[in-house]
Amino acid sequence: MSRDGRSRTRTYAVGALALLALATGCGDNGGGTAAPAPAGTSAGVAQPTGGAASTGPAGTPAPAPAAGDAAAWAKWNLKPLAPAPAPPADKPVKLERTGTVPVFSDIKTSDKVVFITIDDGAEKDPKFVEMLTELKVPISMFLTKDIVKNDYGYFKPLQALGNHIQNHTVSHPVMSKIPPEKQKSEICDDQAALTQQYGTAPLLFRPPFGDGANTPTLNTSVQQCGPRAIVLWRESMQIHDMQYQAADKKLKSGDIILAHFRGPKELKGATMTQMFADLLARIQEQGFSVARLEDYIQPPAS
Ligand SMILES: [Zn+2]
């Protein structure tokens, strides 16, 4: 019934699709088989504040005042998104230093927030850096070495805004179709490259297409390379709207949304910033704000 199902079938049936998908970004399938998020306490309802961006490290410029914000949003044909509540002190997801890594596609929280993740790294549109610099919407970036290595620098100003870089393999393979040692090199080599380039080791891993996420083999491969969780998604942004796994086609608190660094070739002429503006509008019209995924995840005790 779902496009997810058909995509999955194609992914498994046609090896060449992996190459096609590499050119166009992630498949949309995979999240549907996600295990439920690990049991965790609800984050509770925090009091809204000036937004997550207002609590940067010392020396970080304060965000523009509300009036300035409205102008910034208007520039992108948007109304200001409601600021996210303060990050929960008690993180709904608590990662362990060793052992099986959890697999999740949403975060258990009553906060009226969703999380945006952006994958692969193909489109490197300077306008998108400008947009995020102005709007300060938090994102998480799952980057594929072979797709970003021609311009690692593009992602550094996005990282400097507080956004985290996460692991998405070296060459974007269908993980269940490759042997364990190849899985390991795909994850470990991306981990090493991203750590070297961005100065911090990815904590999270996303398999291309969501494939193999719940297999013990992939879980073991992830464990051997450093990431401590496998992150899937509930919605997948297309060009103007999301594809929903839920039958009611509505966002839920804590949903993780998949998007891609894509440009006009993949978006039927739309730009990355137009796609992202449409994504924010879809989130806003459903009454959600955007929070930072890593603010809801407690890293392992060191
Ligand atoms: Zn991908």
Side-chain angles (χ1 to χ4, degrees), residues 15 68 97 126 140 145 147 181 211 239 249 268:
R97 201 147 66 89
S140 302
K145 180 185 175 186
I147 300 177
E181 61 271 24
D211 176 78
I239 301 175
K249 299 190 189 313
K268 299 184 178 174

Side-chain angles (χ1 to χ4, degrees), residues 90-145:
D90 183 23
K91 308 300 183 194
V93 175
K94 296 178 174 66
L95 301 181
E96 303 290 339
R97 201 147 66 89
T98 58
T100 303
V101 306
V103 182
F104 53 87
S105 49
D106 58 24
I107 299 288
K108 300 303 176 204
T109 178
S110 55
D111 292 352
K112 191 91 167 144
V113 298
V114 294
F115 307 96
I116 299 176
T117 62
I118 311 184
D119 282 15
D120 303 349
E123 178 75 0
K124 301 173 184 74
D125 183 349
K127 283 276 175 195
F128 182 64
V129 176
E130 183 182 325
M131 183 184 203
L132 275 206
T133 302
E134 292 176 3
L135 303 186
K136 300 186 172 63
V137 175
I139 61 167
S140 302
M141 298 173 275
F142 288 79
L143 301 184
T144 297
K145 180 185 175 186

Side-chain angles (χ1 to χ4, degrees), residues 272-289:
M272 176 83 188
T273 56
Q274 288 168 337
M275 177 278 289
F276 197 76
D278 282 347
L279 173 58
L280 296 180
R282 301 292 86 76
I283 292 169
Q284 184 173 47
E285 70 198 14
Q286 294 180 62
F288 288 86
S289 57

